[in-house]
């Protein structure tokens, strides 16, 4: 699987819930890490670590790196930059996702908030719009990754998980894994 | 296009941003309305109305209806209920989306928050998981609608728009529509 990381720009304390959704979406949809640029948020770190430790997988959350440094470091190590913006090339009507795939390079996805630095548009190798209507960076990130990985990320097993869901038509089935053995439990609703 | 509406359950004032993302995602991804059940939020209504009036389309936001009433009314008028939950059938590894499509009925999508009433699991015709990891109801709604409409919703034109984006590889191109004529303007970054 091609490596993807998301860089979340413009986080403020009042965005806690939205940024949490960004981070968990990145993790669930196959990104290996999220960089929260230019700021720190201890509560966010704690929330994500607790969740990752229970649900498994290799996922890291980095914080406080200035966005320019993160971008430059990414380029130096051979990666490309994709900026998600409603002003970019429409993922549905252009061939932008095929062009991104054919680069065969690891991808940093810039996920902004209301108004991002103008420089994002120029430094990005691809400006990608998930439709041309205003909506949500969480939705944009999810759909980009879902299409980029062709849905395969949704069947990935997360290593070293302590809990897993067993899909079912009704109700909640949680599997608790302890020292190599799994017990299935139907959670009360 | 088969009609879809989203019912957002469990909104609290502190969820304002997340619920706004839910509503805008529903609108951008082809739903005809969102029902904010059991509560009201005047600021949310104002935000959505302002945006819809600029960006066009027929989209409505309803508020304050008890969720059971909304569900029962939907059933009476011939619709089915899809509950998005991480415990449901995995959209990627099951044929649930084909089964939903083959019902050829209009769809109400239940979008919860942390913990939804247990009754949701039983009353739903389909419990659908967008992967089996915890993430975001915004991401789940976006991916469900993107897959259900097979991406076609992202090329839809919104009627009576006053502004539109012209997709471009760099920068921001906004088209302002006035009395039938369109002017293109490159926005400063």
């Amino acid at each position: 699987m091609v490596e993807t990381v998301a860089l979340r720009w413009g986080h403020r304390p009042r965005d806690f819930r939205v940024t949490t959704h960004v981070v968990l979406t990145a993790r669930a949809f196959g990104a290996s890490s999220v960089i929260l640029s230019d700021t720190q948020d201890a509560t966010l770190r704690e929330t994500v670590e607790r969740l990752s430790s229970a649900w498994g997988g290799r996922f890291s959350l980095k914080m406080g790196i200035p966005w320019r440094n993160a971008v430059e470091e990414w380029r130096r190590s051979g990666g490309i930059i994709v900026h998600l913006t409603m002003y970019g090339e429409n993922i549905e009507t252009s061939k932008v996702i095929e062009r991104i795939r054919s680069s065969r390079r690891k991808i940093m996805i810039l996920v902004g908030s209301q108004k991002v630095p103008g420089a994002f548009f120029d430094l990005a190798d691809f400006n990608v719009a998930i439709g041309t209507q205003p909506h949500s960076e969480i939705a944009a990130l999810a759909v980009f990754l879902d299409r980029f990985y062709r849905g395969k990320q949704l069947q990935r097993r997360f290593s070293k998980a302590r809990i897993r869901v067993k899909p079912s038509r009704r109700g909640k089935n949680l599997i608790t894994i302890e020292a190599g053995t799994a017990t299935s439990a139907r959670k009360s609703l």
Side-chain angles (χ1 to χ4, degrees), chain A residues 2-3 12 15 29 36 46 53 61 80 90 98 107 135 143 147 153 171:
Chain A
V2 173
E3 187 188 356
R12 298 154 298 182
D15 298 324
F29 284 79
L36 190 74
E46 202 185 295
S53 130
L61 175 61
I80 61 166
N90 192 339
E98 284 81 1
I107 300 167
H135 53 88
V143 169
R147 290 187 178 209
Q153 81 289 349

Side-chain angles (χ1 to χ4, degrees), chain A residues 2-78:
Chain A
V2 173
E3 187 188 356
T4 53
V5 310
L7 185 144
R8 165 69 163 166
W9 180 88
H11 171 75
R12 298 154 298 182
R14 62 177 180 166
D15 298 324
F16 176 76
R17 279 158 203 280
V18 169
T19 300
T20 304
H21 284 234
V22 168
V23 175
L24 299 187
T25 297
R27 177 184 170 280
F29 284 79
S32 63
S33 68
V34 167
I35 298 165
L36 190 74
S37 76
D38 304 287
T39 187
Q40 308 265 0
D41 189 322
T43 318
L44 185 70
R45 178 184 299 285
E46 202 185 295
T47 304
V48 172
E49 279 177 0
R50 204 172 47 231
L51 186 135
S52 288
S53 130
W55 291 88
R58 293 157 185 272
F59 176 81
S60 68
L61 175 61
K62 291 159 195 160
M63 293 183 168
I65 309 162
W67 68 264
R68 275 197 190 276
N69 297 12
V71 164
E72 281 162 16
E73 172 57 31
W74 188 255
R75 281 216 187 285
R76 266 197 302 276
S77 66

Side-chain angles (χ1 to χ4, degrees), chain A residues 91-133:
Chain A
I91 199 168
E92 180 63 23
T93 57
S94 74
K95 299 274 180 202
V96 66
I97 200 125
E98 284 81 1
R99 278 153 46 220
I100 293 170
R101 270 201 211 103
S102 67
S103 79
R104 296 175 179 281
R105 308 261 287 283
K106 61 180 188 173
I107 300 167
M108 173 179 278
I109 305 160
L110 304 184
V111 182
S113 46
Q114 288 295 317
K115 186 157 163 78
V116 301
F120 279 18
F121 289 85
D122 284 323
L123 68 83
D125 298 284
F126 300 97
N127 289 287
V128 178
I130 311 301
T132 57
Q133 292 291 316

